[in-house]
Amino acid sequence: QVQLGESGGGLVQPGDSLGLSCTASGRTYSTYTVAWFRQAPGKEREFVAAIRSTGTDTWYADSVKGRFTISRDNAKGTVNLQMKSLKAEDTAVYYCARKESRVITSALRSVRMYDYWGQGTQVTVSS
């Protein structure tokens, strides 16, 4: 079993920056895929960004491309999501998700591909 914990959410103003962190513990493998998803009230959970354990490739939703950056620190067991130029429409509960293997590129954006999920952290962008 793998446990995931998110941290770093909060209330910020439009245009601000915020960083989220996802820490994995338990029976983790060296090969993994981690993604961030978000869910706004009344909406379905949507893909935000993904990264594999190699760290060489990253994927982003069009709505966050150029504003969000996903990165990983294997030594610390963390995957981070740095968010800048935040907008009101970025308001949501953000979840990290993990699979202890390589997820094929065509499936990275599917919630069904991930076995482990964090509890979520609220990000609110409001003036």
Side-chain angles (χ1 to χ4, degrees):
Q1 281 286 65
V2 174
Q3 294 79 44
L4 299 178
E6 299 108 336
S7 62
L11 171 64
V12 296
Q13 294 186 342
D16 283 354
S17 298
L18 192 65
L20 304 181
S21 184
C22 175
T23 302
S25 60
R27 197 169 182 175
T28 59
Y29 291 0
S30 58
T31 299
Y32 62 84
T33 305
V34 169
W36 285 93
F37 290 81
R38 67 187 182 186
Q39 189 166 19
K43 295 188 176 181
E44 292 189 353
R45 194 167 296 189
E46 65 173 2
F47 171 81
V48 175
I51 189 168
R52 294 195 184 111
S53 47
T54 55
T56 54
D57 297 299
T58 55
W59 294 263
Y60 298 94
D62 288 343
S63 58
V64 306
K65 200 172 294 183
R67 300 188 298 121
F68 289 14
T69 303
I70 189 171
S71 62
R72 94 288 181 255
D73 185 332
N74 288 334
K76 296 182 178 179
T78 59
V79 171
N80 302 306
L81 185 68
Q82 187 63 35
M83 306 180 291
K84 65 179 182 180
S85 302
L86 284 162
K87 306 175 182 179
E89 50 263 44
D90 294 317
T91 295
V93 178
Y94 284 70
Y95 299 90
C96 67
R98 180 172 169 131
K99 186 170 183 69
E100 298 307 298
S101 65
R102 180 183 182 277
V103 176
I104 60 174
T105 302
S106 60
L108 282 168
R109 299 166 189 263
S110 172
V111 296
R112 293 174 293 181
M113 294 307 303
Y114 299 90
D115 299 317
Y116 304 104
W117 291 81
Q119 78 284 358
T121 186
Q122 177 71 45
V123 172
T124 303
V125 185
S126 175
S127 54

